[in-house]
Amino acid sequence: MSHADPQVPLAVDIQDLRKSYGTHEVLKGIDLHVKAGEVIAIIGKSGSGKSTLLRCINGLEVFQHGTLTVQGQALVYDDAAAMRALRQQVGMIFQSFNLFPHLSVGDNITLAPGLVKKTPKPELQATALRLLARVGLSDKLNAFPEQLSGGQQQRVAIARALAMAPSILLCDEITSALDPELVGEVLAVVESLAQEGMTLLMVTHEMNFARKVSDRVVFMHQGLVHEVGKPDTLFANPQTPELQQFLSSLQ
């Protein structure tokens, strides 16, 4: 997909975004433009603002300055209806799986569409089965989270995010709480979503995965987008000492 193609609409358009907690400025003027269907990997040291940026995109964090537009709609915090519409467009998966322990896998997946979209019950059940098949867990509809491995729970969390039929999926270090042998099964699901054309923004420390799956890699440093490029170029030929140092620290 060519980034120069003006025909492809912007899924996320961020201009001069600034976010502070008290006097501590976490995002110091972010510019980022993501086309529909693009897969963006966001890398950088802990504390560089990566998670905060994702949380601004789905309205979990309030920013103080700049503009953030999702699917052509500007983020308006004091408009509850607009925020609900935004959250239906933008799915988010977190480092911790955040499943409801007292609900079955099927009920975890169908809770939000049942409440928010008032989807009828038979349709919800069909959706849950379809999405569980999608993440390779067809036989787990009636299981409870505690009966699943971490990798399985995270795949259920992906299915739950997909149940709202979002046009954009945000993944925040979704493998960092997993045992190493379970990481692959979760990343395989994300890769298949990328291949299907889902717009993805993922904060990750899995560099091989970022290289393999993303269209562009965004390197954040101290609250700014420091370098952006195609994975091959960015990893092979970092332009700044900060990125060179970050990549060498991962060896």
Side-chain angles (χ1 to χ4, degrees):
M1 189 185 77
S2 161
H3 301 303
D5 181 0
Q7 301 308 309
V8 179
L10 286 178
V12 180
D13 188 8
I14 298 172
Q15 295 184 20
D16 197 22
L17 188 73
R18 292 170 185 271
K19 160 78 187 167
S20 297
Y21 296 107
T23 57
H24 175 50
E25 194 170 39
V26 187
L27 301 178
K28 301 174 182 174
I30 301 280
D31 291 303
L32 184 62
H33 315 288
V34 182
K35 293 210 154 72
E38 205 176 358
V39 178
I40 304 285
I42 303 172
I43 64 172
K45 285 195 299 213
S46 178
S48 57
K50 309 182 299 291
S51 293
T52 305
L53 178 61
L54 285 194
R55 292 168 69 90
C56 284
I57 295 171
N58 81 340
L60 282 175
E61 295 281 358
V62 180
F63 55 88
Q64 283 83 21
H65 182 82
T67 59
L68 199 162
T69 303
V70 175
Q71 304 291 34
Q73 298 290 317
L75 218 65
V76 190
Y77 289 109
D78 48 14
D79 180 341
M83 293 307 288
R84 275 198 301 277
L86 168 85
R87 293 215 174 93
Q88 288 185 36
Q89 293 276 348
V90 182
M92 184 148 179
I93 307 154
F94 300 88
Q95 185 173 335
S96 54
F97 323 125
N98 292 352
L99 298 176
F100 294 111
H102 60 289
L103 293 181
S104 70
V105 163
D107 288 342
N108 263 286
I109 293 171
T110 57
L111 183 66
L115 290 172
V116 178
K117 296 191 166 177
K118 307 282 192 277
T119 310
K121 193 113 189 167
E123 201 179 314
L124 286 174
Q125 198 77 348
T127 298
L129 284 167
R130 177 175 57 81
L131 292 173
L132 281 173
R134 181 76 203 64
V135 299
L137 293 171
S138 292
D139 56 340
K140 299 296 184 192
L141 182 73
N142 299 313
F144 281 81
E146 66 188 21
Q147 300 169 305
L148 305 179
S149 72
Q152 290 172 326
Q153 288 189 55
Q154 194 58 295
R155 286 188 280 153
V156 172
I158 294 173
R160 182 178 60 179
L162 295 175
M164 292 297 286
S167 46
I168 300 165
L169 202 54
L170 309 176
C171 301
D172 190 8
E173 294 275 18
I174 62 170
T175 59
S176 60
L178 297 176
D179 294 333
E181 70 272 15
L182 302 177
V183 168
E185 67 190 51
V186 172
L187 293 183
V189 173
V190 177
E191 186 177 356
S192 66
L193 292 172
Q195 288 165 346
E196 286 172 13
M198 171 71 82
T199 308
L200 281 166
L201 285 88
M202 48 191 190
V203 171
T204 184
H205 61 266
E206 300 283 343
M207 295 302 141
N208 291 333
F209 180 70
R211 181 174 299 190
K212 181 178 166 195
V213 174
S214 62
D215 297 308
R216 284 188 298 158
V217 176
V218 171
F219 170 59
M220 285 183 66
H221 182 70
Q222 293 183 348
L224 287 166
V225 172
H226 206 70
E227 276 191 56
V228 183
K230 288 195 159 57
D232 293 349
T233 318
L234 191 111
F235 287 121
N237 189 14
Q239 298 298 302
T240 60
E242 290 84 359
L243 181 53
Q244 287 163 8
Q245 187 188 354
F246 175 73
L247 292 174
S248 66
S249 75
L250 301 170
Q251 301 309 329

